[in-house]
PDB file of all heavy atoms in Angstrom:
ATOM      1  N   PHE L 246      49.423 199.981  41.594  1.00 87.00           N
ATOM      2  CA  PHE L 246      48.882 200.427  42.864  1.00 87.00           C
ATOM      3  C   PHE L 246      49.203 199.389  43.933  1.00 87.00           C
ATOM      4  O   PHE L 246      49.373 198.216  43.640  1.00 87.00           O
ATOM      5  CB  PHE L 246      47.361 200.591  42.797  1.00 87.00           C
ATOM      6  CG  PHE L 246      46.900 201.731  41.933  1.00 87.00           C
ATOM      7  CD1 PHE L 246      46.691 201.539  40.564  1.00 87.00           C
ATOM      8  CD2 PHE L 246      46.673 202.977  42.472  1.00 87.00           C
ATOM      9  CE1 PHE L 246      46.275 202.575  39.765  1.00 87.00           C
ATOM     10  CE2 PHE L 246      46.247 204.022  41.680  1.00 87.00           C
ATOM     11  CZ  PHE L 246      46.050 203.819  40.320  1.00 87.00           C
ATOM     12  N   THR L 247      49.284 199.841  45.140  1.00 89.00           N
ATOM     13  CA  THR L 247      49.475 198.905  46.234  1.00 89.00           C
ATOM     14  C   THR L 247      48.130 198.559  46.869  1.00 89.00           C
ATOM     15  O   THR L 247      47.256 199.417  47.004  1.00 89.00           O
ATOM     16  CB  THR L 247      50.419 199.476  47.306  1.00 89.00           C
ATOM     17  OG1 THR L 247      50.514 198.529  48.379  1.00 89.00           O
ATOM     18  CG2 THR L 247      49.892 200.796  47.860  1.00 89.00           C
ATOM     19  N   LEU L 248      48.003 197.294  47.222  1.00 89.00           N
ATOM     20  CA  LEU L 248      46.790 196.855  47.915  1.00 89.00           C
ATOM     21  C   LEU L 248      46.940 196.951  49.425  1.00 89.00           C
ATOM     22  O   LEU L 248      46.028 196.597  50.161  1.00 89.00           O
ATOM     23  CB  LEU L 248      46.456 195.409  47.532  1.00 89.00           C
ATOM     24  CG  LEU L 248      46.112 195.150  46.063  1.00 89.00           C
ATOM     25  CD1 LEU L 248      45.886 193.659  45.836  1.00 89.00           C
ATOM     26  CD2 LEU L 248      44.883 195.934  45.643  1.00 89.00           C
ATOM     27  N   ASP L 249      48.110 197.426  49.886  1.00 89.00           N
ATOM     28  CA  ASP L 249      48.446 197.371  51.308  1.00 89.00           C
ATOM     29  C   ASP L 249      47.408 198.017  52.212  1.00 89.00           C
ATOM     30  O   ASP L 249      47.206 197.571  53.335  1.00 89.00           O
ATOM     31  CB  ASP L 249      49.798 198.049  51.561  1.00 89.00           C
ATOM     32  CG  ASP L 249      50.961 197.203  51.113  1.00 89.00           C
ATOM     33  OD1 ASP L 249      50.715 196.106  50.578  1.00 89.00           O
ATOM     34  OD2 ASP L 249      52.108 197.644  51.292  1.00 89.00           O
ATOM     35  N   PHE L 250      46.782 199.100  51.751  1.00 90.00           N
ATOM     36  CA  PHE L 250      45.926 199.877  52.645  1.00 90.00           C
ATOM     37  C   PHE L 250      44.442 199.648  52.398  1.00 90.00           C
ATOM     38  O   PHE L 250      43.596 200.295  53.013  1.00 90.00           O
ATOM     39  CB  PHE L 250      46.257 201.362  52.505  1.00 90.00           C
ATOM     40  CG  PHE L 250      47.720 201.644  52.677  1.00 90.00           C
ATOM     41  CD1 PHE L 250      48.490 202.033  51.596  1.00 90.00           C
ATOM     42  CD2 PHE L 250      48.325 201.480  53.913  1.00 90.00           C
ATOM     43  CE1 PHE L 250      49.844 202.266  51.747  1.00 90.00           C
ATOM     44  CE2 PHE L 250      49.678 201.715  54.071  1.00 90.00           C
ATOM     45  CZ  PHE L 250      50.442 202.114  52.987  1.00 90.00           C
ATOM     46  N   ALA L 251      44.129 198.721  51.510  1.00 92.00           N
ATOM     47  CA  ALA L 251      42.739 198.510  51.123  1.00 92.00           C
ATOM     48  C   ALA L 251      42.159 197.244  51.738  1.00 92.00           C
ATOM     49  O   ALA L 251      42.844 196.224  51.859  1.00 92.00           O
ATOM     50  CB  ALA L 251      42.637 198.418  49.604  1.00 92.00           C
ATOM     51  N   VAL L 252      40.901 197.331  52.103  1.00 96.00           N
ATOM     52  CA  VAL L 252      40.183 196.124  52.477  1.00 96.00           C
ATOM     53  C   VAL L 252      39.831 195.382  51.190  1.00 96.00           C
ATOM     54  O   VAL L 252      39.449 196.001  50.191  1.00 96.00           O
ATOM     55  CB  VAL L 252      38.923 196.476  53.307  1.00 96.00           C
ATOM     56  CG1 VAL L 252      37.971 197.368  52.539  1.00 96.00           C
ATOM     57  CG2 VAL L 252      38.227 195.216  53.778  1.00 96.00           C
ATOM     58  N   ILE L 253      39.983 194.066  51.200  1.00 97.00           N
ATOM     59  CA  ILE L 253      39.785 193.256  50.013  1.00 97.00           C
ATOM     60  C   ILE L 253      38.758 192.158  50.303  1.00 97.00           C
ATOM     61  O   ILE L 253      38.803 191.526  51.360  1.00 97.00           O
ATOM     62  CB  ILE L 253      41.097 192.589  49.548  1.00 97.00           C
ATOM     63  CG1 ILE L 253      42.181 193.637  49.300  1.00 97.00           C
ATOM     64  CG2 ILE L 253      40.848 191.745  48.294  1.00 97.00           C
ATOM     65  CD1 ILE L 253      41.921 194.561  48.138  1.00 97.00           C
ATOM     66  N   GLY L 254      37.893 191.933  49.362  1.00 98.00           N
ATOM     67  CA  GLY L 254      36.898 190.882  49.516  1.00 98.00           C
ATOM     68  C   GLY L 254      36.859 189.964  48.311  1.00 98.00           C
ATOM     69  O   GLY L 254      37.475 190.242  47.272  1.00 98.00           O
ATOM     70  N   TRP L 255      36.153 188.869  48.477  1.00 98.00           N
ATOM     71  CA  TRP L 255      35.869 187.946  47.381  1.00 98.00           C
ATOM     72  C   TRP L 255      34.365 187.708  47.330  1.00 98.00           C
ATOM     73  O   TRP L 255      33.729 187.493  48.369  1.00 98.00           O
ATOM     74  CB  TRP L 255      36.581 186.609  47.575  1.00 98.00           C
ATOM     75  CG  TRP L 255      38.052 186.649  47.352  1.00 98.00           C
ATOM     76  CD1 TRP L 255      39.026 186.879  48.282  1.00 98.00           C
ATOM     77  CD2 TRP L 255      38.738 186.450  46.107  1.00 98.00           C
ATOM     78  NE1 TRP L 255      40.263 186.841  47.706  1.00 98.00           N
ATOM     79  CE2 TRP L 255      40.123 186.568  46.356  1.00 98.00           C
ATOM     80  CE3 TRP L 255      38.334 186.173  44.799  1.00 98.00           C
ATOM     81  CZ2 TRP L 255      41.092 186.432  45.367  1.00 98.00           C
ATOM     82  CZ3 TRP L 255      39.287 186.035  43.815  1.00 98.00           C
ATOM     83  CH2 TRP L 255      40.655 186.162  44.103  1.00 98.00           C
ATOM     84  N   PHE L 256      33.839 187.770  46.127  1.00 98.00           N
ATOM     85  CA  PHE L 256      32.450 187.434  45.869  1.00 98.00           C
ATOM     86  C   PHE L 256      32.413 186.325  44.839  1.00 98.00           C
ATOM     87  O   PHE L 256      33.396 186.061  44.146  1.00 98.00           O
ATOM     88  CB  PHE L 256      31.695 188.658  45.330  1.00 98.00           C
ATOM     89  CG  PHE L 256      31.197 189.597  46.394  1.00 98.00           C
ATOM     90  CD1 PHE L 256      32.087 190.335  47.154  1.00 98.00           C
ATOM     91  CD2 PHE L 256      29.842 189.728  46.646  1.00 98.00           C
ATOM     92  CE1 PHE L 256      31.637 191.196  48.141  1.00 98.00           C
ATOM     93  CE2 PHE L 256      29.375 190.592  47.635  1.00 98.00           C
ATOM     94  CZ  PHE L 256      30.278 191.318  48.380  1.00 98.00           C
ATOM     95  N   ARG L 257      31.270 185.708  44.716  1.00 98.00           N
ATOM     96  CA  ARG L 257      31.077 184.730  43.652  1.00 98.00           C
ATOM     97  C   ARG L 257      29.660 184.830  43.119  1.00 98.00           C
ATOM     98  O   ARG L 257      28.754 185.280  43.820  1.00 98.00           O
ATOM     99  CB  ARG L 257      31.365 183.313  44.141  1.00 98.00           C
ATOM    100  CG  ARG L 257      30.383 182.784  45.167  1.00 98.00           C
ATOM    101  CD  ARG L 257      30.820 181.389  45.626  1.00 98.00           C
ATOM    102  NE  ARG L 257      29.885 180.808  46.595  1.00 98.00           N
ATOM    103  CZ  ARG L 257      30.064 179.635  47.187  1.00 98.00           C
ATOM    104  NH1 ARG L 257      31.146 178.903  46.907  1.00 98.00           N
ATOM    105  NH2 ARG L 257      29.173 179.183  48.048  1.00 98.00           N
ATOM    106  N   GLN L 258      29.518 184.425  41.866  1.00 98.00           N
ATOM    107  CA  GLN L 258      28.193 184.424  41.254  1.00 98.00           C
ATOM    108  C   GLN L 258      28.030 183.164  40.426  1.00 98.00           C
ATOM    109  O   GLN L 258      28.761 182.950  39.453  1.00 98.00           O
ATOM    110  CB  GLN L 258      27.976 185.662  40.382  1.00 98.00           C
ATOM    111  CG  GLN L 258      26.551 185.780  39.870  1.00 98.00           C
ATOM    112  CD  GLN L 258      26.260 187.147  39.291  1.00 98.00           C
ATOM    113  OE1 GLN L 258      27.153 187.882  38.872  1.00 98.00           O
ATOM    114  NE2 GLN L 258      24.978 187.509  39.261  1.00 98.00           N
ATOM    115  N   ALA L 259      27.094 182.354  40.841  1.00 97.00           N
ATOM    116  CA  ALA L 259      26.777 181.135  40.105  1.00 97.00           C
ATOM    117  C   ALA L 259      25.722 181.448  39.051  1.00 97.00           C
ATOM    118  O   ALA L 259      24.980 182.431  39.180  1.00 97.00           O
ATOM    119  CB  ALA L 259      26.261 180.071  41.070  1.00 97.00           C
ATOM    120  N   PRO L 260      25.633 180.641  38.017  1.00 92.00           N
ATOM    121  CA  PRO L 260      24.634 180.884  36.966  1.00 92.00           C
ATOM    122  C   PRO L 260      23.230 180.974  37.530  1.00 92.00           C
ATOM    123  O   PRO L 260      22.797 180.117  38.300  1.00 92.00           O
ATOM    124  CB  PRO L 260      24.790 179.659  36.056  1.00 92.00           C
ATOM    125  CG  PRO L 260      26.188 179.210  36.266  1.00 92.00           C
ATOM    126  CD  PRO L 260      26.484 179.486  37.711  1.00 92.00           C
ATOM    127  N   GLY L 261      22.545 182.048  37.171  1.00 94.00           N
ATOM    128  CA  GLY L 261      21.167 182.220  37.601  1.00 94.00           C
ATOM    129  C   GLY L 261      20.995 182.653  39.036  1.00 94.00           C
ATOM    130  O   GLY L 261      19.859 182.722  39.527  1.00 94.00           O
ATOM    131  N   LYS L 262      22.098 182.952  39.715  1.00 96.00           N
ATOM    132  CA  LYS L 262      22.018 183.345  41.120  1.00 96.00           C
ATOM    133  C   LYS L 262      22.618 184.719  41.337  1.00 96.00           C
ATOM    134  O   LYS L 262      23.377 185.216  40.512  1.00 96.00           O
ATOM    135  CB  LYS L 262      22.725 182.312  42.002  1.00 96.00           C
ATOM    136  CG  LYS L 262      22.070 180.944  41.993  1.00 96.00           C
ATOM    137  CD  LYS L 262      22.701 180.032  43.023  1.00 96.00           C
ATOM    138  CE  LYS L 262      21.983 178.685  43.069  1.00 96.00           C
ATOM    139  NZ  LYS L 262      22.577 177.795  44.103  1.00 96.00           N
ATOM    140  N   GLU L 263      22.292 185.335  42.456  1.00 95.00           N
ATOM    141  CA  GLU L 263      22.847 186.632  42.790  1.00 95.00           C
ATOM    142  C   GLU L 263      24.281 186.488  43.296  1.00 95.00           C
ATOM    143  O   GLU L 263      24.704 185.422  43.734  1.00 95.00           O
ATOM    144  CB  GLU L 263      21.985 187.308  43.863  1.00 95.00           C
ATOM    145  CG  GLU L 263      20.586 187.654  43.395  1.00 95.00           C
ATOM    146  CD  GLU L 263      19.827 188.456  44.426  1.00 95.00           C
ATOM    147  OE1 GLU L 263      20.349 188.649  45.538  1.00 95.00           O
ATOM    148  OE2 GLU L 263      18.705 188.879  44.114  1.00 95.00           O
ATOM    149  N   ARG L 264      24.997 187.580  43.235  1.00 96.00           N
ATOM    150  CA  ARG L 264      26.352 187.584  43.762  1.00 96.00           C
ATOM    151  C   ARG L 264      26.333 187.356  45.268  1.00 96.00           C
ATOM    152  O   ARG L 264      25.490 187.899  45.978  1.00 96.00           O
ATOM    153  CB  ARG L 264      27.053 188.904  43.434  1.00 96.00           C
ATOM    154  CG  ARG L 264      27.440 189.003  41.980  1.00 96.00           C
ATOM    155  CD  ARG L 264      28.167 190.283  41.670  1.00 96.00           C
ATOM    156  NE  ARG L 264      28.570 190.334  40.263  1.00 96.00           N
ATOM    157  CZ  ARG L 264      29.191 191.337  39.687  1.00 96.00           C
ATOM    158  NH1 ARG L 264      29.505 192.410  40.398  1.00 96.00           N
ATOM    159  NH2 ARG L 264      29.513 191.292  38.416  1.00 96.00           N
ATOM    160  N   GLU L 265      27.286 186.573  45.722  1.00 97.00           N
ATOM    161  CA  GLU L 265      27.357 186.190  47.130  1.00 97.00           C
ATOM    162  C   GLU L 265      28.718 186.578  47.694  1.00 97.00           C
ATOM    163  O   GLU L 265      29.750 186.242  47.117  1.00 97.00           O
ATOM    164  CB  GLU L 265      27.152 184.678  47.261  1.00 97.00           C
ATOM    165  CG  GLU L 265      27.337 184.134  48.655  1.00 97.00           C
ATOM    166  CD  GLU L 265      27.355 182.614  48.702  1.00 97.00           C
ATOM    167  OE1 GLU L 265      27.589 181.986  47.646  1.00 97.00           O
ATOM    168  OE2 GLU L 265      27.151 182.061  49.788  1.00 97.00           O
ATOM    169  N   GLY L 266      28.713 187.275  48.813  1.00 98.00           N
ATOM    170  CA  GLY L 266      29.966 187.590  49.469  1.00 98.00           C
ATOM    171  C   GLY L 266      30.574 186.340  50.073  1.00 98.00           C
ATOM    172  O   GLY L 266      29.887 185.585  50.765  1.00 98.00           O
ATOM    173  N   VAL L 267      31.857 186.107  49.813  1.00 98.00           N
ATOM    174  CA  VAL L 267      32.543 184.904  50.290  1.00 98.00           C
ATOM    175  C   VAL L 267      33.460 185.230  51.465  1.00 98.00           C
ATOM    176  O   VAL L 267      33.447 184.530  52.485  1.00 98.00           O
ATOM    177  CB  VAL L 267      33.354 184.253  49.156  1.00 98.00           C
ATOM    178  CG1 VAL L 267      34.134 183.056  49.676  1.00 98.00           C
ATOM    179  CG2 VAL L 267      32.435 183.857  48.006  1.00 98.00           C
ATOM    180  N   SER L 268      34.262 186.291  51.326  1.00 98.00           N
ATOM    181  CA  SER L 268      35.229 186.594  52.374  1.00 98.00           C
ATOM    182  C   SER L 268      35.614 188.057  52.335  1.00 98.00           C
ATOM    183  O   SER L 268      35.392 188.758  51.340  1.00 98.00           O
ATOM    184  CB  SER L 268      36.487 185.737  52.222  1.00 98.00           C
ATOM    185  OG  SER L 268      37.200 186.123  51.061  1.00 98.00           O
ATOM    186  N   CYS L 269      36.234 188.479  53.436  1.00 98.00           N
ATOM    187  CA  CYS L 269      36.755 189.838  53.543  1.00 98.00           C
ATOM    188  C   CYS L 269      38.018 189.782  54.394  1.00 98.00           C
ATOM    189  O   CYS L 269      38.075 189.026  55.376  1.00 98.00           O
ATOM    190  CB  CYS L 269      35.712 190.754  54.172  1.00 98.00           C
ATOM    191  SG  CYS L 269      36.236 192.464  54.377  1.00 98.00           S
ATOM    192  N   ILE L 270      39.017 190.586  54.019  1.00 98.00           N
ATOM    193  CA  ILE L 270      40.231 190.668  54.815  1.00 98.00           C
ATOM    194  C   ILE L 270      40.614 192.132  54.959  1.00 98.00           C
ATOM    195  O   ILE L 270      40.580 192.895  53.976  1.00 98.00           O
ATOM    196  CB  ILE L 270      41.379 189.841  54.186  1.00 98.00           C
ATOM    197  CG1 ILE L 270      42.609 189.822  55.108  1.00 98.00           C
ATOM    198  CG2 ILE L 270      41.732 190.339  52.792  1.00 98.00           C
ATOM    199  CD1 ILE L 270      43.650 188.782  54.700  1.00 98.00           C
ATOM    200  N   ASN L 271      40.964 192.540  56.167  1.00 96.00           N
ATOM    201  CA  ASN L 271      41.290 193.951  56.366  1.00 96.00           C
ATOM    202  C   ASN L 271      42.693 194.258  55.856  1.00 96.00           C
ATOM    203  O   ASN L 271      43.427 193.372  55.408  1.00 96.00           O
ATOM    204  CB  ASN L 271      41.102 194.343  57.834  1.00 96.00           C
ATOM    205  CG  ASN L 271      42.191 193.807  58.741  1.00 96.00           C
ATOM    206  OD1 ASN L 271      42.938 192.908  58.378  1.00 96.00           O
ATOM    207  ND2 ASN L 271      42.268 194.353  59.938  1.00 96.00           N
ATOM    208  N   SER L 272      43.083 195.504  55.923  1.00 95.00           N
ATOM    209  CA  SER L 272      44.334 195.917  55.295  1.00 95.00           C
ATOM    210  C   SER L 272      45.556 195.276  55.953  1.00 95.00           C
ATOM    211  O   SER L 272      46.548 194.999  55.275  1.00 95.00           O
ATOM    212  CB  SER L 272      44.465 197.442  55.315  1.00 95.00           C
ATOM    213  OG  SER L 272      44.452 197.923  56.649  1.00 95.00           O
ATOM    214  N   SER L 273      45.498 195.033  57.238  1.00 94.00           N
ATOM    215  CA  SER L 273      46.652 194.430  57.916  1.00 94.00           C
ATOM    216  C   SER L 273      46.730 192.929  57.688  1.00 94.00           C
ATOM    217  O   SER L 273      47.773 192.314  57.892  1.00 94.00           O
ATOM    218  CB  SER L 273      46.584 194.714  59.415  1.00 94.00           C
ATOM    219  OG  SER L 273      45.551 193.958  60.023  1.00 94.00           O
ATOM    220  N   GLY L 274      45.609 192.327  57.319  1.00 94.00           N
ATOM    221  CA  GLY L 274      45.555 190.881  57.158  1.00 94.00           C
ATOM    222  C   GLY L 274      45.238 190.138  58.438  1.00 94.00           C
ATOM    223  O   GLY L 274      45.146 188.909  58.438  1.00 94.00           O
ATOM    224  N   ARG L 275      45.060 190.876  59.522  1.00 95.00           N
ATOM    225  CA  ARG L 275      44.856 190.220  60.816  1.00 95.00           C
ATOM    226  C   ARG L 275      43.391 189.991  61.140  1.00 95.00           C
ATOM    227  O   ARG L 275      43.065 189.345  62.151  1.00 95.00           O
ATOM    228  CB  ARG L 275      45.512 191.047  61.918  1.00 95.00           C
ATOM    229  CG  ARG L 275      47.033 191.019  61.860  1.00 95.00           C
ATOM    230  CD  ARG L 275      47.641 191.584  63.136  1.00 95.00           C
ATOM    231  NE  ARG L 275      47.439 193.023  63.243  1.00 95.00           N
ATOM    232  CZ  ARG L 275      48.346 193.915  62.820  1.00 95.00           C
ATOM    233  NH1 ARG L 275      49.472 193.502  62.264  1.00 95.00           N
ATOM    234  NH2 ARG L 275      48.131 195.207  62.956  1.00 95.00           N
ATOM    235  N   SER L 276      42.504 190.508  60.344  1.00 96.00           N
ATOM    236  CA  SER L 276      41.077 190.318  60.575  1.00 96.00           C
ATOM    237  C   SER L 276      40.409 189.841  59.304  1.00 96.00           C
ATOM    238  O   SER L 276      40.578 190.441  58.243  1.00 96.00           O
ATOM    239  CB  SER L 276      40.443 191.627  61.043  1.00 96.00           C
ATOM    240  OG  SER L 276      39.049 191.470  61.226  1.00 96.00           O
ATOM    241  N   THR L 277      39.669 188.755  59.425  1.00 97.00           N
ATOM    242  CA  THR L 277      38.971 188.185  58.272  1.00 97.00           C
ATOM    243  C   THR L 277      37.528 187.872  58.636  1.00 97.00           C
ATOM    244  O   THR L 277      37.192 187.669  59.808  1.00 97.00           O
ATOM    245  CB  THR L 277      39.652 186.890  57.784  1.00 97.00           C
ATOM    246  OG1 THR L 277      39.713 185.963  58.877  1.00 97.00           O
ATOM    247  CG2 THR L 277      41.052 187.153  57.267  1.00 97.00           C
ATOM    248  N   ARG L 278      36.699 187.816  57.615  1.00 98.00           N
ATOM    249  CA  ARG L 278      35.312 187.416  57.771  1.00 98.00           C
ATOM    250  C   ARG L 278      34.938 186.495  56.630  1.00 98.00           C
ATOM    251  O   ARG L 278      35.447 186.637  55.519  1.00 98.00           O
ATOM    252  CB  ARG L 278      34.392 188.637  57.798  1.00 98.00           C
ATOM    253  CG  ARG L 278      34.679 189.577  58.948  1.00 98.00           C
ATOM    254  CD  ARG L 278      33.548 190.522  59.190  1.00 98.00           C
ATOM    255  NE  ARG L 278      33.845 191.443  60.297  1.00 98.00           N
ATOM    256  CZ  ARG L 278      32.993 192.322  60.757  1.00 98.00           C
ATOM    257  NH1 ARG L 278      31.791 192.428  60.228  1.00 98.00           N
ATOM    258  NH2 ARG L 278      33.325 193.118  61.754  1.00 98.00           N
ATOM    259  N   TYR L 279      34.024 185.573  56.925  1.00 98.00           N
ATOM    260  CA  TYR L 279      33.624 184.592  55.928  1.00 98.00           C
ATOM    261  C   TYR L 279      32.117 184.397  55.945  1.00 98.00           C
ATOM    262  O   TYR L 279      31.464 184.535  56.984  1.00 98.00           O
ATOM    263  CB  TYR L 279      34.294 183.242  56.202  1.00 98.00           C
ATOM    264  CG  TYR L 279      35.789 183.286  56.172  1.00 98.00           C
ATOM    265  CD1 TYR L 279      36.529 183.314  57.357  1.00 98.00           C
ATOM    266  CD2 TYR L 279      36.481 183.321  54.965  1.00 98.00           C
ATOM    267  CE1 TYR L 279      37.909 183.371  57.336  1.00 98.00           C
ATOM    268  CE2 TYR L 279      37.858 183.378  54.938  1.00 98.00           C
ATOM    269  CZ  TYR L 279      38.569 183.399  56.125  1.00 98.00           C
ATOM    270  OH  TYR L 279      39.935 183.452  56.093  1.00 98.00           O
TER     271      TYR L 279
END
């Protein structure tokens, strides 16, 4: 599959903690959030 058209994010989960959103990047790559 191609990732070209999908928004992609990163999460992390430390032991004993809830999942935390780390980053997001839109499909073009020109917009990011942290």
Side-chain angles (χ1 to χ4, degrees):
F246 291 88
T247 177
L248 296 177
D249 285 2
F250 308 110
V252 60
I253 304 293
W255 287 91
F256 277 68
R257 67 183 182 183
Q258 187 167 23
K262 295 188 177 181
E263 295 187 354
R264 286 182 178 178
E265 174 190 19
V267 176
S268 69
C269 179
I270 186 167
N271 74 344
S272 60
S273 72
R275 290 193 290 266
S276 178
T277 57
R278 299 197 181 184
Y279 300 101

